[in-house]
Amino acid sequence: MRKIIIAGNWKMNKDLKESIDLASSVKRSLYDMEEVEAVLCPTFTSLGDVSDIITGTTIRLGAQDVYWERGGAFTGEISSYMLKSVGCAYCIVGHSERRQFFGETNETVNKKAKALLKEGIMPIVCVGEKLDERKAKKEFDVVKDHIVNSLKGFTREDMLRTVIAYEPVWAIGTGINATKEQAQEMHKYIRGLINGIYGEDVANAVRIQYGGSVKPENIKELISQEDVDGALVGGASLKADLFVAIVKGCL
Ligand code: PGA
């Protein structure tokens, strides 16, 4: 059985006080949520404080990015070992915004994910096609490229500790989510790719989140799909009541 995982990607939103307020509100409703794994991914500057708030609850902490070296002369970067020290259980890598605005490639995603796994942090590896790629019917090729190359060299154990987030770029922040059929079709395809590389046991265990305009109104139908194991939530994770409703919508 794959445990549903709902992660809130706060992106570059919320200062320290706002982060503390949001995490505290979420905690009030989800502190003992056993059935669904809820993960909060604040900015680097709020990780430590959010960590303090959710320690001792079932809510887990995630970061939004990482650099692959452990330490050294890399001004401005944060390593997996540092994320570990503030209590991160997860870290998003390869989000489309990082691919689009910050030069992230499958190769750098791969290095980052491996650095996280080394520290026992579970990577949430984002994949997904842009609108023009879907229009050109290239969505499966693009996702295959992301999967195969972002996960290159992963052992079976690495794969079992990795979460995949399928996020069609055209659905992110647009209010237009993929239909449940579109999500299921791609999630099944992704699971098939993992099956091809690691076999059925691993493929059946790996969790695949959907991301892109997830809200309380559409979570139920998305999560009802066989291969949809959770969601990576942007905009709606910035409001405690919406995020809580999404998590509870999975019950
Ligand atoms: P959205 O963002 O929920 O605001 O569409 C999703 C994401 O980018 O992870």
Side-chain angles (χ1 to χ4, degrees), residues 7-9 11 92 95-97 126 165 167-169 171-176 210-215 231-238 246:
N9 174 10
K11 306 193 180 182
I92 301 166
H95 190 281
S96 64
E97 286 149 18
C126 302
E167 299 206 301
V169 180
I172 296 178
T174 59
I176 303 162
Y210 165 78
S213 299
V214 173
K215 29 190 184 264
L232 184 53
V233 186
S237 71
L238 299 174
I246 290 169

Side-chain angles (χ1 to χ4, degrees), residues 203-241:
N204 284 338
V206 170
R207 294 179 295 177
I208 307 173
Q209 298 177 301
Y210 165 78
S213 299
V214 173
K215 29 190 184 264
E217 296 77 26
N218 59 23
I219 187 64
K220 276 187 195 300
E221 61 174 27
L222 288 162
I223 208 71
S224 70
Q225 301 302 296
E226 195 181 331
D227 291 296
V228 177
D229 307 312
L232 184 53
V233 186
S237 71
L238 299 174
K239 294 218 165 83
D241 55 340

